Amino acid sequence: MLELQSLSIDQYGFIGNVFSFGLAVMASTTLFLWLMMSSAAPTYRMAITISGLVTAIAAYHYLQIMLSWDGAASVASGEVVVSGEGFNRAYRYVDWLLTVPLLLVELILVMKLSKAETLSRSIRLGGAAALMIVLGYPGEVAGNVGTRAIFWILSMIPFIYIVRELVIGLKESISKQPDNVKGLISKAAILVVASWAFYPIVYLLPLLGVTGGSAIVVVETGYTIADIMAKAVFGLLIFVIAIRKSEAEADVNAVEAAPAEQASPVKKGS
Amino acid sequence: MLELQSLSIDQYGFIGNVFSFGLAVMASTTLFLWLMMSSAAPTYRMAITISGLVTAIAAYHYLQIMLSWDGAASVASGEVVVSGEGFNRAYRYVDWLLTVPLLLVELILVMKLSKAETLSRSIRLGGAAALMIVLGYPGEVAGNVGTRAIFWILSMIPFIYIVRELVIGLKESISKQPDNVKGLISKAAILVVASWAFYPIVYLLPLLGVTGGSAIVVVETGYTIADIMAKAVFGLLIFVIAIRKSEAEADVNAVEAAPAEQASPVKKGS
């Protein structure tokens, strides 16, 4: 239902630039996270490693999306000419299938819960996230509005479960977090919920009568902004939480190690 | 016998997405293993390095497979048009020739057996694995069902030898492993056997009368899932075993170093 031939030259070029922007943001976030990883205490490095993996996987898929976009059409004698190869919408879904469970795991890991709670929450949230993506795909590629609506409803079930878990289920665990990060962890959970709210809205647009070239512009730009919020901005927030917790724990250790001396921070990594 | 012209556009696109998914999983597992390597004790880093090598080699071959798939056909006027280049089935076998012996070595290394046992088991299992792959290839590319059946039987001989070694031969060595990883090492050996069971079944499908486009979908998707289990999931399991053994040994060292003090964990990096 989203046909490339309805795009103007400007729209076709604009979306290509949006994809390139997405690739640049994801790749540079990955590099930042991994280069700075050693400033966090070892306990938090897995959370940062996975934050960087999420943006790395997204960078790879934005590259694929960009190449598929370039191959799907070309500009000739003032018009967008469709090549027949088709624009591969599946890359976004393959990306989400891998990254959405992982970014929930990031949030759980940075909270440093007990091993049992970490495992059970990762499996429940990660599994629900994977199910949500799998149920969304058939509607995305369907040619008719009815199928799109049915799969929208189906994938909203795990979506609502995850939101409920993040807003209510994690409340007690968040209340046990150190004071200097409690607010940030709540913000990270809210950022997930808020950025995820984009996706079902963008997905619904073709049902709301938004069609033609501008529908493609809104859908692709909307998904890209939501991806940047949910992966890059979220990953940086996880990084800040990891650094703050590392600093607080270094202070506590310093006090315990040298109770008679002044409780100065041993190393307050940047 | 598996001819690309029998594929529908959707099937052709789906298999391309499966290859891209395989590439993303293998590459991100490699990065995770190598970035997290320093959390394991130095004794176990060779096992983790090799786990990452296996997935890195697989990532490279999935890239080659994906490019070969893109070059072998194209979509034009609503049909899959075969280019004549041919889809290179050899990449999977070149990959397996390198990775299958290495992933058996991973398992042996993480057990930290004596030097003599490590060497002899690596040579026997690695050699049998290489032989298994070499004997499978002529049947895979053969045009007729008879040749495929003969080489299936031949390559099952080293296959059964390896399974026997993993299930019976390693039993005594596994029983000497620390309690906190004994179950995981058994699981790793079972994962190898279970994921490997896929390959001869997938290989046999064309003999069982499964032909046409859906045969190609089943074969390529089946091999990819088996590869992900045998390399990425297996590599992560080896990583968890290495971390648990490192933690257990750090605790023991802490107790030995300071017998009078409280036996607190020196560093329990996640």
Side-chain angles (χ1 to χ4, degrees), chain A residues 162-189:
Chain A
I162 295 169
V163 169
R164 204 196 143 277
E165 274 288 295
L166 290 177
V167 176
I168 301 168
L170 281 181
K171 203 168 235 173
E172 202 198 320
S173 308
I174 290 175
S175 70
K176 288 183 202 145
Q177 292 289 308
D179 283 338
N180 68 332
V181 295
K182 211 175 274 180
L184 277 181
I185 292 183
S186 291
K187 281 204 186 79

Side-chain angles (χ1 to χ4, degrees), chain B residues 97-177:
Chain B
L97 192 60
L98 289 164
T99 57
V100 176
L102 284 176
L103 65 87
L104 292 170
V105 171
E106 276 173 48
L107 181 64
I108 295 163
L109 280 176
V110 88
M111 292 177 72
K112 207 167 87 175
L113 307 170
S114 71
K115 276 190 183 165
E117 194 179 351
T118 300
L119 191 67
S120 85
R121 286 201 187 274
S122 296
I123 290 172
R124 273 186 291 147
L125 286 175
L131 185 66
M132 172 178 80
I133 308 301
V134 169
L135 288 172
Y137 185 63
E140 181 78 46
V141 293
N144 70 79
V145 169
T147 316
R148 197 173 182 98
I150 289 167
F151 284 97
W152 184 85
I153 293 168
L154 288 178
S155 73
M156 281 306 277
I157 300 168
F159 178 91
I160 288 166
Y161 168 76
I162 296 168
V163 170
R164 205 196 142 278
E165 274 289 296
L166 289 178
V167 176
I168 302 168
L170 280 181
K171 203 169 235 171
E172 204 198 317
S173 308
I174 290 175
S175 70
K176 289 181 202 146
Q177 292 289 309

Side-chain angles (χ1 to χ4, degrees), chain A residues 34 37 42-47 49-50 53 56-57 60-61 64 83-86 88 90-91 94 97-98 102 109 115 137, chain B residues 13 16-17 19-21 23-25 27-29 31-32 35-36 38 66 73-77 239 244 247 267-270:
Chain A
W34 288 347
M37 190 158 72
T43 333
Y44 297 109
R45 290 188 193 157
M46 196 185 278
T49 300
I50 294 181
L53 267 189
I57 295 169
Y60 164 73
H61 285 109
Q64 289 282 37
S83 73
E85 287 276 322
N88 190 347
Y91 285 129
V94 176
L97 191 60
L98 290 166
L102 285 177
L109 279 177
K115 273 188 185 168
Y137 184 63
Chain B
N17 291 331
F19 293 152
S20 177
F21 177 75
L23 167 55
V25 170
S28 49
T29 306
L31 290 167
F32 177 84
L35 286 165
M36 292 302 298
S38 61
M66 197 173 73
S74 57
V75 173
S77 40
F239 173 77
R244 287 221 192 151
E247 283 176 3
K267 197 179 79 182
K268 272 208 153 179
S270 62

